Amino acid sequence: MSRDTIVAKRYAKALFEVALQQQQVLEVEQELRAVVSGLTGDAEIIKFIVSPNISDEAKRNVLHASLDGKVSEPVLRTVLLLIERGRVELLEALLSDYLKIEGDSLGIADARVYSTYALNDEEKEAVAREFGGRVNKKIRIENIVDSTLLGGLKVAIGDTIYDGSLAGKLERLEQSFNRRVQ
């Protein structure tokens, strides 16, 4: 395990504990998602944050002015601390680790559902019920439209992939035939 991975987990655990004490676990998650998306999704912001020509104090001031009042104090302090310590590259890992800790604590799992079209709310709910029963957790669905699928669904929960796509079924059928022929 790399040092950065360990550090990100420590930050995530500390942030989660503060959020839990303040009963703001889900709010902190939403804020952290927004901050990570905003800071890592814009090339100009990234250049500003990683620039050695701009002082840490100037970076903190700009981020404090931009985020103050828009995110909770724990999220703001965590982001500023990462900037101060030159660890802004940990933001995405921090979010990922926070989500894992949150999921373990609250019995929630995130599922990426790949389909040929955007699922409606009823379909998402059905998928969440089906897979929630399998993993014994409440499932949050992120639907990803994948035009390479022929049909069906592919669901990824953590490191496990449930391949119910037509291509996956055909591949398993072919493997079955190959085992019988040999």
Side-chain angles (χ1 to χ4, degrees):
M1 192 177 295
S2 77
R3 180 161 162 49
D4 285 349
T5 304
I6 293 168
V7 171
K9 283 183 182 184
R10 285 184 183 155
Y11 278 104
K13 186 175 184 200
L15 181 59
F16 179 78
E17 288 174 0
V18 170
L20 190 61
Q21 287 173 353
Q22 296 179 359
Q23 298 179 354
Q24 295 182 319
V25 172
L26 296 176
E27 293 87 348
V28 165
E29 174 204 332
Q30 291 171 346
E31 292 172 1
L32 194 55
R33 281 183 191 269
V35 168
V36 169
S37 174
L39 293 180
T40 61
D42 187 326
E44 292 299 314
I45 293 174
I46 292 171
K47 280 197 321 195
F48 170 77
I49 291 173
V50 299
S51 174
N53 298 330
I54 301 171
S55 71
D56 287 343
E57 184 177 349
K59 293 174 189 177
R60 278 193 311 275
N61 290 340
V62 167
L63 285 171
H64 192 277
S66 299
L67 298 174
D68 192 30
K70 295 179 181 119
V71 297
S72 62
E73 191 64 29
V75 172
L76 179 61
R77 281 196 324 250
T78 301
V79 171
L80 294 176
L81 189 59
L82 288 173
I83 298 295
E84 179 181 305
R85 296 193 175 163
R87 307 301 299 242
V88 74
E89 76 279 357
L90 297 179
L91 272 172
E92 289 175 325
L94 168 71
L95 173 60
S96 176
D97 289 334
Y98 183 90
L99 293 173
K100 286 177 191 167
I101 294 167
E102 175 190 53
D104 290 344
S105 176
L106 302 180
I108 298 172
D110 289 312
R112 290 178 314 284
V113 179
Y114 300 88
S115 60
T116 56
Y117 62 92
L119 301 177
N120 64 35
D121 289 340
E122 191 175 293
E123 291 168 323
K124 287 179 187 177
E125 200 171 295
V127 171
R129 266 195 316 274
E130 169 69 25
F131 286 92
R134 289 184 186 197
V135 297
N136 202 25
K137 290 186 176 188
K138 183 180 184 304
I139 300 293
R140 288 188 294 200
I141 301 287
E142 175 190 359
N143 185 207
I144 300 166
V145 176
D146 183 350
S147 60
T148 64
L149 291 177
L150 301 174
L153 297 175
K154 190 162 47 170
V155 179
I157 302 172
D159 294 336
T160 306
I161 295 177
Y162 301 91
D163 191 351
S165 68
L166 187 54
K169 289 178 183 179
L170 289 172
E171 184 179 317
R172 289 189 295 277
L173 184 61
E174 179 184 15
Q175 289 172 354
S176 173
F177 286 145
N178 287 341
R179 281 194 297 266
R180 289 183 184 167
V181 171
Q182 294 175 2

